[in-house]
Amino acid sequence: MHMKSGRALVLCALGLSVVLAAGCNKNTNNLTVAGPSPTGPATISITPRTVEVRLTTNPTTGRCEATQQFTVVPEGNLPQFDVFRWTVSGADTTISASGFARAGRVGSYAVGADIAGLHASATFNVVPGDCVGEQGPVAGPGAFTLSRVSCEVASLGRLAKISWTPSSGADKYRVMMHEWSTGVPRSLGETVGHSYEQVADLKAATYFQVVAIGANGMETQSSPADLLVCEEVREEPPIVPPPPPPPPPPSCPANPDFEITGGGRTDPIMMVKGQLLNLNVVNWPTNACNPFWFTNDPSVVQIAGADTVRNIGGANYYAGVNAAARAIYNGSTTICVQGDIANNYHPGCHPVRVVDNLMTPAFTIDGVPNVTKVFRRLRFMDVPGIHQTYTPKK
């Protein structure tokens, strides 16, 4: 017959039995049995041999644990007054003298019973349940991989598409999305499938997250945990084309010429002192550059006016197709017209003689002029701001 476990524990506490004392650890317990001396071979076994138990909350203690009662089944005659010694492997596990085992976390544990040199073993499998074990969380669904499918332009923005590999033990998946790398993820909902599509912002960088959820409520994050699906669209400044090149300069005649307006021309041109003579350039192209006018001796003949004024080499000159020459004093000089192009130095010039009247000889300076004649000439050269002479470049 068997001795009650309380007596065995008392003996253990008093240290009356070496065998009993060895059975006072957390993961072991001993039970003394009494009976006749063995008369034949004896064996023992444990029932159940293999068992699977889910973690659950103990209503009495509030602890998350899995419990199981194990029993020794003897075969043959056991020694008299010998002791069962129970053991269980792993941390956060205990077993009582009566074979009541408890585990506080998921795992597979070996349960053993020994007596008089006889040994029996069983397997205690603890699986996830509806609570979290004392020493760590219950295992969640298996690992899975999240992938980008596409990001396409849609009518309301961009359509982002993702997919993922199945997660073992997952009942469903939660999909989350956020804009920019620093944005706060927001839930889009849950699905039992393995793909998802969502309209995303037209320009913002858009990230997705997927979490696998098991039947026990435990969760597993995808790999990668945060996936960029739609990249940021940067607004580039509009490309302003360069301004068109300026039009080429007009093609001015290389050898301009002029005539007396309405009367042709004779060489030399004869003028009476004080006379104003209108001139115009011959065959000058329409809308082309302006020719300019000058005389070699403004004391004899000056350019008195023209269509416009042109600045050449820092000095102002009368310019245009039409001009007027005024006879100042008796003598000889030339009137010239030149094209308004920097490298065009081929003026058209014609001689001019100024006389008192067309019936007297032309005034000329013979030898060194006297001072009176020189000053009489110089007083006619003062045309403010307008140059009457020009030295063409050779």
Side-chain angles (χ1 to χ4, degrees), residues 1-11 20 30-34 97-98:
M1 58 182 297
H2 294 277
M3 179 183 295
K4 294 185 179 179
S5 60
R7 179 182 177 185
L9 293 176
V10 171
L11 294 176
L20 290 178
N30 304 320
L31 180 64
T32 302
V33 296
S98 60

Side-chain angles (χ1 to χ4, degrees), residues 192-214:
V192 296
H194 302 102
S195 64
Y196 204 88
E197 60 182 50
Q198 174 69 26
V199 175
D201 188 272
L202 187 60
K203 297 178 181 179
T206 305
Y207 295 77
F208 283 81
Q209 298 177 358
V210 176
V211 175
I213 305 172

Side-chain angles (χ1 to χ4, degrees), residues 132-151:
V132 177
E134 296 174 355
Q135 302 299 322
V138 178
F144 64 105
T145 302
L146 175 62
S147 301
R148 176 187 184 274
V149 176
S150 63
C151 179

Side-chain angles (χ1 to χ4, degrees), residues 30-388:
N30 304 320
L31 180 64
T32 302
V33 296
S37 299
T39 58
T43 61
I44 60 173
S45 62
I46 299 176
T47 185
R49 292 289 301 273
T50 301
V51 65
E52 181 176 281
V53 183
R54 296 180 61 184
L55 284 170
T56 187
T57 302
N58 188 317
T60 302
T61 64
R63 294 164 60 93
C64 183
E65 60 187 17
T67 58
Q68 177 63 38
Q69 176 69 56
F70 293 93
T71 305
V72 173
V73 179
E75 296 290 341
N77 295 321
L78 297 179
Q80 189 175 12
F81 298 110
D82 213 333
V83 177
F84 284 124
R85 183 172 182 270
W86 289 97
T87 60
V88 60
S89 64
D92 195 32
T93 58
T94 59
I95 191 166
S96 68
S98 60
F100 187 82
R102 186 195 68 82
R105 66 171 64 184
V106 172
S108 180
Y109 306 101
V111 176
D114 295 272
I115 187 171
L118 302 177
H119 175 76
S121 62
T123 301
F124 183 24
N125 291 323
V126 179
V127 297
D130 58 4
C131 62
V132 177
E134 296 174 355
Q135 302 299 322
V138 178
F144 64 105
T145 302
L146 175 62
S147 301
R148 176 187 184 274
V149 176
S150 63
C151 179
E152 304 169 351
V153 177
S155 58
L156 300 178
R158 291 183 293 177
L159 185 62
K161 297 180 180 181
I162 58 175
S163 65
W164 55 89
T165 58
S167 169
S168 60
D171 279 7
K172 55 187 176 181
Y173 301 88
R174 182 187 307 117
V175 181
M176 293 174 288
M177 181 180 77
H178 65 94
E179 284 80 27
W180 314 111
S181 58
T182 56
V184 177
R186 61 184 183 275
S187 177
L188 300 177
E190 296 178 349
T191 178
V192 296
H194 302 102
S195 64
Y196 204 88
E197 60 182 50
Q198 174 69 26
V199 175
D201 188 272
L202 187 60
K203 297 178 181 179
T206 305
Y207 295 77
F208 283 81
Q209 298 177 358
V210 176
V211 175
I213 305 172
N216 57 4
M218 299 307 296
E219 300 180 353
T220 298
Q221 187 79 47
S222 65
S223 176
D226 211 23
L227 179 65
L228 174 62
V229 178
C230 294
E231 296 185 354
E232 175 187 0
V233 176
R234 298 175 181 265
E235 288 189 353
E236 299 293 340
I239 299 176
V240 179
S251 177
C252 299
N255 298 285
D257 200 0
F258 66 92
E259 63 183 8
I260 298 172
T261 302
R265 189 196 67 243
T266 60
D267 289 336
I269 300 172
M270 298 302 295
M271 296 183 69
V272 176
K273 186 169 56 176
Q275 179 185 359
L276 187 66
L277 188 65
N278 292 322
L279 309 171
N280 66 275
V281 179
V282 179
N283 297 325
W284 194 258
T286 303
N287 298 325
C289 54
N290 287 322
F292 64 92
W293 301 82
F294 61 94
T295 66
N296 287 334
D297 190 349
S299 67
V300 176
V301 175
Q302 291 182 356
I303 303 300
D307 294 331
T308 185
V309 175
R310 298 287 291 176
N311 185 283
I312 303 172
N316 291 327
Y317 293 88
Y318 284 118
V321 175
N322 302 291
R326 185 184 300 279
I328 303 299
Y329 203 75
N330 294 356
S332 298
T333 184
T334 56
I335 298 175
C336 300
V337 65
Q338 180 168 321
D340 192 10
I341 297 180
N343 59 359
N344 187 356
Y345 304 118
H346 303 284
C349 299
H350 294 281
V352 181
R353 292 182 68 187
V354 179
V355 297
D356 288 325
N357 56 69
L358 295 180
M359 301 303 294
T360 61
F363 174 79
T364 59
I365 300 176
D366 299 322
V368 179
N370 61 48
V371 175
T372 302
K373 290 183 178 181
V374 171
F375 277 99
R376 288 180 67 190
R377 286 186 174 191
L378 292 177
R379 66 195 178 114
F380 292 104
M381 297 176 62
D382 185 16
V383 181
I386 302 297
H387 291 248
Q388 298 291 327

